[in-house]
Each structure stands twice: as C-alpha cells, then as structure tokens.
mmCIF file of all heavy atoms in Angstrom:
data_model
loop_
_atom_site.group_PDB
_atom_site.id
_atom_site.type_symbol
_atom_site.label_atom_id
_atom_site.label_comp_id
_atom_site.label_asym_id
_atom_site.label_seq_id
_atom_site.Cartn_x
_atom_site.Cartn_y
_atom_site.Cartn_z
ATOM 1 N N VAL A 58 7.619 -11.380 -10.246
ATOM 2 C CA VAL A 58 8.555 -11.783 -9.211
ATOM 3 C C VAL A 58 7.792 -11.865 -7.880
ATOM 4 O O VAL A 58 7.978 -12.762 -7.114
ATOM 5 C CB VAL A 58 9.615 -10.659 -9.084
ATOM 6 C CG1 VAL A 58 10.493 -10.906 -7.849
ATOM 7 C CG2 VAL A 58 10.469 -10.613 -10.310
ATOM 8 N N TRP A 59 6.974 -10.885 -7.659
ATOM 9 C CA TRP A 59 6.252 -10.730 -6.406
ATOM 10 C C TRP A 59 5.105 -9.754 -6.740
ATOM 11 O O TRP A 59 5.246 -8.893 -7.621
ATOM 12 C CB TRP A 59 7.219 -10.145 -5.375
ATOM 13 C CG TRP A 59 6.709 -9.667 -4.053
ATOM 14 C CD1 TRP A 59 5.674 -8.783 -3.796
ATOM 15 C CD2 TRP A 59 7.116 -10.136 -2.781
ATOM 16 N NE1 TRP A 59 5.543 -8.606 -2.485
ATOM 17 C CE2 TRP A 59 6.374 -9.443 -1.843
ATOM 18 C CE3 TRP A 59 8.039 -11.059 -2.360
ATOM 19 C CZ2 TRP A 59 6.544 -9.603 -0.429
ATOM 20 C CZ3 TRP A 59 8.214 -11.226 -1.013
ATOM 21 C CH2 TRP A 59 7.517 -10.515 -0.046
ATOM 22 N N ALA A 60 4.025 -9.891 -6.095
ATOM 23 C CA ALA A 60 2.888 -8.941 -6.249
ATOM 24 C C ALA A 60 2.152 -8.944 -4.993
ATOM 25 O O ALA A 60 2.063 -9.842 -4.200
ATOM 26 C CB ALA A 60 1.999 -9.358 -7.436
ATOM 27 N N GLY A 61 1.474 -7.743 -4.753
ATOM 28 C CA GLY A 61 0.695 -7.630 -3.522
ATOM 29 C C GLY A 61 0.032 -6.270 -3.339
ATOM 30 O O GLY A 61 0.282 -5.360 -4.113
ATOM 31 N N ALA A 62 -0.809 -6.220 -2.359
ATOM 32 C CA ALA A 62 -1.533 -5.012 -2.053
ATOM 33 C C ALA A 62 -1.233 -4.510 -0.653
ATOM 34 O O ALA A 62 -0.877 -5.306 0.232
ATOM 35 C CB ALA A 62 -3.046 -5.188 -2.198
ATOM 36 N N GLY A 63 -1.383 -3.199 -0.414
ATOM 37 C CA GLY A 63 -1.085 -2.681 0.906
ATOM 38 C C GLY A 63 -1.889 -1.433 1.085
ATOM 39 O O GLY A 63 -2.811 -1.090 0.267
ATOM 40 N N LEU A 64 -1.557 -0.636 2.153
ATOM 41 C CA LEU A 64 -2.252 0.559 2.507
ATOM 42 C C LEU A 64 -1.420 1.750 2.300
ATOM 43 O O LEU A 64 -0.228 1.764 2.472
ATOM 44 C CB LEU A 64 -2.643 0.504 3.985
ATOM 45 C CG LEU A 64 -3.524 -0.761 4.337
ATOM 46 C CD1 LEU A 64 -3.712 -0.791 5.857
ATOM 47 C CD2 LEU A 64 -4.829 -0.705 3.681
ATOM 48 N N LEU A 65 -2.111 2.884 1.843
ATOM 49 C CA LEU A 65 -1.481 4.200 1.707
ATOM 50 C C LEU A 65 -1.789 4.935 3.035
ATOM 51 O O LEU A 65 -2.866 5.388 3.214
ATOM 52 C CB LEU A 65 -2.039 4.888 0.491
ATOM 53 C CG LEU A 65 -1.411 6.276 0.211
ATOM 54 C CD1 LEU A 65 0.080 6.113 -0.137
ATOM 55 C CD2 LEU A 65 -2.168 6.940 -0.931
ATOM 56 N N ARG A 66 -0.796 4.991 3.873
ATOM 57 C CA ARG A 66 -0.983 5.442 5.271
ATOM 58 C C ARG A 66 -0.051 6.639 5.474
ATOM 59 O O ARG A 66 1.107 6.644 5.066
ATOM 60 C CB ARG A 66 -0.633 4.394 6.244
ATOM 61 C CG ARG A 66 -1.661 4.076 7.298
ATOM 62 C CD ARG A 66 -1.214 2.969 8.234
ATOM 63 N NE ARG A 66 -2.378 2.455 8.962
ATOM 64 C CZ ARG A 66 -2.622 1.139 9.050
ATOM 65 N NH1 ARG A 66 -1.899 0.302 8.438
ATOM 66 N NH2 ARG A 66 -3.697 0.828 9.712
ATOM 67 N N ASP A 67 -0.470 7.621 6.227
ATOM 68 C CA ASP A 67 0.384 8.700 6.670
ATOM 69 C C ASP A 67 0.995 8.369 8.054
ATOM 70 O O ASP A 67 0.725 7.343 8.634
ATOM 71 C CB ASP A 67 -0.329 10.067 6.659
ATOM 72 C CG ASP A 67 -1.485 10.113 7.624
ATOM 73 O OD1 ASP A 67 -1.485 9.422 8.645
ATOM 74 O OD2 ASP A 67 -2.421 10.944 7.391
ATOM 75 N N ASN A 68 1.840 9.293 8.516
ATOM 76 C CA ASN A 68 2.591 8.955 9.756
ATOM 77 C C ASN A 68 1.742 9.105 11.019
ATOM 78 O O ASN A 68 2.198 8.801 12.118
ATOM 79 C CB ASN A 68 3.845 9.808 9.876
ATOM 80 C CG ASN A 68 3.545 11.317 9.833
ATOM 81 O OD1 ASN A 68 2.403 11.742 9.806
ATOM 82 N ND2 ASN A 68 4.599 12.088 9.776
ATOM 83 N N GLU A 69 0.449 9.472 10.857
ATOM 84 C CA GLU A 69 -0.456 9.403 11.978
ATOM 85 C C GLU A 69 -1.305 8.130 11.957
ATOM 86 O O GLU A 69 -2.149 7.922 12.849
ATOM 87 C CB GLU A 69 -1.406 10.628 11.924
ATOM 88 C CG GLU A 69 -0.687 11.960 12.185
ATOM 89 C CD GLU A 69 -1.628 13.134 12.084
ATOM 90 O OE1 GLU A 69 -2.779 12.940 11.652
ATOM 91 O OE2 GLU A 69 -1.229 14.261 12.454
ATOM 92 N N GLY A 70 -1.065 7.289 10.979
ATOM 93 C CA GLY A 70 -1.778 6.052 10.918
ATOM 94 C C GLY A 70 -3.060 6.104 10.064
ATOM 95 O O GLY A 70 -3.779 5.117 9.872
ATOM 96 N N THR A 71 -3.411 7.324 9.566
ATOM 97 C CA THR A 71 -4.604 7.418 8.799
ATOM 98 C C THR A 71 -4.441 6.748 7.445
ATOM 99 O O THR A 71 -3.448 6.955 6.740
ATOM 100 C CB THR A 71 -4.937 8.936 8.587
ATOM 101 O OG1 THR A 71 -5.056 9.556 9.819
ATOM 102 C CG2 THR A 71 -6.202 9.138 7.786
ATOM 103 N N ILE A 72 -5.461 5.945 7.029
ATOM 104 C CA ILE A 72 -5.432 5.267 5.754
ATOM 105 C C ILE A 72 -6.030 6.154 4.684
ATOM 106 O O ILE A 72 -7.197 6.626 4.880
ATOM 107 C CB ILE A 72 -6.203 3.981 5.874
ATOM 108 C CG1 ILE A 72 -5.476 3.019 6.881
ATOM 109 C CG2 ILE A 72 -6.275 3.258 4.539
ATOM 110 C CD1 ILE A 72 -6.251 1.719 7.164
ATOM 111 N N HIS A 73 -5.325 6.374 3.614
ATOM 112 C CA HIS A 73 -5.824 7.217 2.519
ATOM 113 C C HIS A 73 -6.167 6.390 1.314
ATOM 114 O O HIS A 73 -6.527 6.976 0.283
ATOM 115 C CB HIS A 73 -4.767 8.232 2.157
ATOM 116 C CG HIS A 73 -4.513 9.234 3.247
ATOM 117 N ND1 HIS A 73 -5.326 10.420 3.402
ATOM 118 C CD2 HIS A 73 -3.623 9.304 4.252
ATOM 119 C CE1 HIS A 73 -4.878 11.110 4.404
ATOM 120 N NE2 HIS A 73 -3.854 10.445 4.949
ATOM 121 N N GLY A 74 -6.113 5.093 1.392
ATOM 122 C CA GLY A 74 -6.486 4.228 0.254
ATOM 123 C C GLY A 74 -5.687 2.991 0.268
ATOM 124 O O GLY A 74 -4.906 2.712 1.147
ATOM 125 N N ARG A 75 -5.929 2.204 -0.717
ATOM 126 C CA ARG A 75 -5.191 0.947 -0.943
ATOM 127 C C ARG A 75 -4.439 0.990 -2.269
ATOM 128 O O ARG A 75 -4.878 1.503 -3.248
ATOM 129 C CB ARG A 75 -6.136 -0.274 -0.942
ATOM 130 C CG ARG A 75 -6.821 -0.463 0.460
ATOM 131 C CD ARG A 75 -7.592 -1.776 0.437
ATOM 132 N NE ARG A 75 -8.134 -1.995 1.761
ATOM 133 C CZ ARG A 75 -8.777 -3.092 2.188
ATOM 134 N NH1 ARG A 75 -8.933 -4.137 1.327
ATOM 135 N NH2 ARG A 75 -9.246 -3.244 3.432
ATOM 136 N N THR A 76 -3.196 0.500 -2.197
ATOM 137 C CA THR A 76 -2.374 0.461 -3.351
ATOM 138 C C THR A 76 -1.959 -0.962 -3.611
ATOM 139 O O THR A 76 -2.041 -1.858 -2.719
ATOM 140 C CB THR A 76 -1.117 1.322 -3.197
ATOM 141 O OG1 THR A 76 -0.304 0.784 -2.076
ATOM 142 C CG2 THR A 76 -1.417 2.760 -2.950
ATOM 143 N N ALA A 77 -1.480 -1.239 -4.806
ATOM 144 C CA ALA A 77 -0.980 -2.577 -5.129
ATOM 145 C C ALA A 77 0.154 -2.456 -6.114
ATOM 146 O O ALA A 77 0.279 -1.402 -6.745
ATOM 147 C CB ALA A 77 -2.116 -3.474 -5.719
ATOM 148 N N PHE A 78 0.931 -3.515 -6.272
ATOM 149 C CA PHE A 78 2.001 -3.507 -7.268
ATOM 150 C C PHE A 78 2.214 -4.888 -7.775
ATOM 151 O O PHE A 78 1.825 -5.903 -7.222
ATOM 152 C CB PHE A 78 3.368 -3.051 -6.605
ATOM 153 C CG PHE A 78 3.961 -4.082 -5.737
ATOM 154 C CD1 PHE A 78 4.966 -4.886 -6.258
ATOM 155 C CD2 PHE A 78 3.562 -4.247 -4.436
ATOM 156 C CE1 PHE A 78 5.538 -5.845 -5.418
ATOM 157 C CE2 PHE A 78 4.118 -5.266 -3.591
ATOM 158 C CZ PHE A 78 5.138 -6.040 -4.100
ATOM 159 N N ARG A 79 2.708 -4.953 -8.993
ATOM 160 C CA ARG A 79 3.196 -6.207 -9.621
ATOM 161 C C ARG A 79 4.645 -6.013 -9.927
ATOM 162 O O ARG A 79 5.023 -5.153 -10.722
ATOM 163 C CB ARG A 79 2.437 -6.500 -10.938
ATOM 164 C CG ARG A 79 1.005 -6.898 -10.738
ATOM 165 C CD ARG A 79 0.403 -7.244 -12.143
ATOM 166 N NE ARG A 79 1.287 -8.223 -12.837
ATOM 167 C CZ ARG A 79 1.460 -8.183 -14.158
ATOM 168 N NH1 ARG A 79 0.930 -7.258 -14.980
ATOM 169 N NH2 ARG A 79 2.284 -9.068 -14.682
ATOM 170 N N GLY A 80 5.533 -6.803 -9.303
ATOM 171 C CA GLY A 80 6.938 -6.748 -9.604
ATOM 172 C C GLY A 80 7.197 -7.546 -10.866
ATOM 173 O O GLY A 80 7.405 -8.755 -10.823
ATOM 174 N N VAL A 81 7.188 -6.845 -12.010
ATOM 175 C CA VAL A 81 7.334 -7.591 -13.292
ATOM 176 C C VAL A 81 8.785 -7.947 -13.585
ATOM 177 O O VAL A 81 9.068 -8.738 -14.422
ATOM 178 C CB VAL A 81 6.717 -6.776 -14.448
ATOM 179 C CG1 VAL A 81 5.234 -6.606 -14.276
ATOM 180 C CG2 VAL A 81 7.383 -5.447 -14.632
#
C-alpha cells in the first residue's frame, strides 16, 4: 500500500536510529 523509512527520535530531537515499514 505504502512503504518508507524514517527516524526513531525522542522528544529532545535525538536520533536513535532509522526505522522502515512496508504497509502490506
């Protein structure tokens, strides 16, 4: 349906990694 990648961020803006998903 949709797929993409984004950032795993906390509320201080710190990036803890990258995540992705596939909307199957």
Side-chain angles (χ1 to χ4, degrees):
V58 172
W59 172 301
L64 301 172
L65 184 63
R66 231 181 197 128
D67 63 25
N68 57 7
E69 294 179 348
T71 302
I72 297 173
H73 293 276
R75 294 188 176 186
T76 62
F78 76 97
R79 289 183 53 215
V81 297

